[in-house]
Amino acid sequence: MKLFQCQACGQVLHFENTRCESCGRTLGYLPDARLLSALEQDPSVERGARPEDVASGPEASVRPAAARPKELWHAWNQPGVRYRFCANAELHACNWLLPEASSEAYCRACRHNRIVPDLSAPENLARWQKLELAKHRLFYTLTRLGLPLLTRAKDPDHGLAFDFLAYPLEGAGPKVMTGHEDGLITIALTEADDAERERMRLAMGETYRTLLGHFRHEVGHWFWDVLVRDGAPGRLDAFRALFGDERRDYAEALKIHYKEGPPPNWSEKFITIYASTHPWEDWAETWAHYLHIVDTLETAHVFGLRVRPRIAPGEALSADLEYDPYSAGPEIQRLIDDWLPLTFAMNSLNRSMGQPDLYPFIISPPVIEKLGFVHRLVHNQDR
């Protein structure tokens, strides 16, 4: 993730900021420019929401109220182009901008939402806002990689869409399960509850469970369909050579996994225990970790971090992050050579604070090979 700077006063900004804490100016994210910009309100137009613009009735739980934005804005010192905020800015769930002329009410990230929970319940709104923060970070990475992103409007049967669902009242329906099916990603709203997520992490025997991790994993399933199954000739065979045959019975694989646990020495071939369940899950876990790596390396790069242990001179534990990991070349090894020292340092810092390892995973040579497959795939897409 990049760092940003207020163009008006020079204050360092974070991706989620909506107002500069130094000069008080409104901020908005321009996804095409990958820029969080200070904004100036255009004085010529102020448009209020009209009653007919606001969702009501049963469909109100499917889309948040799409009130017409009240103001138009232009980026700092760029008065020639006017923008308006995504409709979800009204609900403090988005800071992305659209061109004034866009026919869309929602930004490039929010237009993939299909169902959101009943936002009249304060706890639902707060949890959904947390989910949106994680989802927008996901879309930052996906757009940086230039990956194809089809909405349900463009592809009704297989476009990428999100359902954010609250648990039903006791006995009123089946429990909501986070998962993916034909481009539709379901996220249980309780994942945004820190205590519940930690309970599930312990119950599932996971070393890592975060909202952003969920999004990265689940969207990986969709990209398997798009880039591997429906991709260029030869990709499916190459996938099977590395990950295994995905035609293996998925339900039976899950049953075996939860009954018998992972295979012996699973860490020699898989990034996580869950990756050992089935080739589809191996792919999704590997995909998620690839996104972890490039996003974190970019953050380290923009902070100017270097790793040079004083007691271990040489290259083995050293990293110079003087490059953009999104354009690091066709091979994964450069990223891995810097990722391993960086995570060693991060884990050491966490331990100094009495916290568990930030990245509690072992990247074996077979896993590096799988990460390399993902790396080459996202940088050599035939589309």
Side-chain angles (χ1 to χ4, degrees):
M1 175 62 67
K2 287 175 62 176
L3 276 178
F4 302 92
Q5 190 172 30
C6 178
Q7 295 83 7
C9 70
Q11 173 75 16
V12 174
L13 307 171
H14 296 285
F15 180 62
E16 296 85 3
N17 288 156
T18 58
R19 184 172 298 277
C20 177
E21 294 298 325
S22 177
C23 69
R25 285 177 170 83
T26 298
L27 305 171
Y29 183 68
L30 298 166
D32 288 336
R34 297 196 297 272
L35 176 68
L36 184 64
S37 178
L39 302 176
E40 294 181 312
Q41 187 172 347
D42 190 292
S44 62
V45 181
E46 286 199 14
R47 299 182 302 181
R50 303 176 305 179
E52 60 266 33
D53 292 326
V54 181
S56 61
E59 69 276 14
S61 64
V62 177
R63 281 282 198 175
R68 180 174 292 177
K70 295 183 178 66
E71 301 94 9
L72 293 177
W73 306 82
H74 60 83
W76 184 255
N77 286 335
Q78 297 180 34
V81 181
R82 297 194 301 197
Y83 298 94
R84 54 187 169 79
F85 277 100
C86 171
N88 280 339
E90 297 283 329
L91 297 161
H92 306 288
C94 181
N95 66 345
W96 288 29
L97 295 161
L98 302 92
E100 176 193 13
S102 174
S103 62
E104 299 279 355
Y106 296 90
C107 72
R108 291 173 63 181
C110 291
R111 69 187 60 156
H112 289 271
N113 290 1
R114 195 182 76 144
I115 296 177
V116 300
D118 176 6
L119 300 178
S120 65
E123 66 274 16
N124 284 356
L125 177 60
R127 290 174 180 178
W128 176 67
Q129 288 168 335
K130 289 176 68 174
L131 287 167
E132 285 295 338
L133 288 178
K135 193 197 76 185
H136 280 69
R137 281 192 168 249
L138 168 73
F139 273 83
Y140 169 88
T141 303
L142 299 181
T143 54
R144 275 234 58 188
L145 291 170
L147 291 165
L149 292 167
L150 292 174
T151 63
R152 277 306 213 236
K154 294 285 182 64
D155 183 352
D157 297 322
H158 199 66
L160 179 63
F162 296 89
D163 284 354
F164 300 108
L165 303 181
Y167 278 1
L169 296 174
E170 192 70 31
K175 184 177 181 180
V176 176
M177 300 295 291
T178 294
H180 165 270
E181 184 175 3
D182 291 329
L184 179 60
I185 294 173
T186 300
I187 302 289
L189 204 62
T190 51
E191 289 290 349
D193 183 283
D194 294 340
E196 176 63 15
R197 192 172 60 256
E198 177 64 8
R199 187 190 70 78
M200 288 296 297
R201 187 189 71 80
L202 294 173
M204 302 294 286
E206 299 170 337
T207 53
Y208 171 92
R209 189 182 181 96
T210 68
L211 294 181
L212 185 53
H214 275 318
F215 279 108
R216 287 171 172 167
H217 173 100
E218 298 301 341
V219 83
H221 287 297
W222 185 71
F223 279 110
W224 184 89
D225 294 350
V226 173
L227 299 179
V228 179
R229 186 194 66 189
D230 302 333
R235 287 186 180 177
L236 190 54
D237 289 339
F239 166 84
R240 288 170 179 165
L242 278 177
F243 293 86
D245 193 334
E246 82 291 348
R247 292 169 293 189
R248 173 184 163 205
D249 188 290
Y250 181 74
E252 183 63 22
L254 285 180
K255 184 188 299 184
I256 292 171
H257 171 76
Y258 288 117
K259 181 180 179 181
E260 302 178 5
N265 303 320
W266 63 267
S267 62
E268 295 177 5
K269 295 181 180 179
F270 303 99
I271 189 66
T272 64
I273 289 176
Y274 193 56
S276 69
T277 303
H278 186 274
W280 279 335
E281 299 303 343
D282 192 9
W283 160 269
E285 288 287 86
T286 304
W287 174 275
H289 279 258
Y290 178 75
L291 299 190
H292 296 338
I293 289 169
V294 293
D295 192 47
T296 307
L297 285 177
E298 185 189 29
T299 306
H301 166 64
V302 298
F303 271 97
L305 296 184
R306 299 169 68 233
V307 179
R308 284 284 186 275
R310 297 184 184 279
I311 64 167
E315 299 301 318
L317 289 177
S318 299
D320 267 322
L321 302 163
E322 297 296 326
Y323 62 95
D324 179 355
Y326 286 95
S327 48
E331 299 303 324
I332 192 69
Q333 196 59 50
R334 185 179 187 186
L335 300 181
I336 297 300
D337 287 345
D338 286 324
W339 181 243
L340 296 179
L342 180 64
T343 54
F344 183 83
M346 292 191 302
N347 289 344
S348 298
L349 290 170
N350 257 34
R351 293 181 185 189
S352 295
M353 288 293 295
Q355 295 291 330
D357 286 354
L358 187 66
Y359 190 77
F361 304 98
I362 297 172
I363 301 183
S364 65
V367 170
I368 293 174
E369 195 173 359
K370 294 172 185 177
L371 288 166
F373 178 79
V374 173
H375 179 70
R376 291 188 297 274
L377 202 60
V378 300
H379 288 287
N380 295 281
Q381 306 159 50
D382 302 312
R383 61 181 193 276

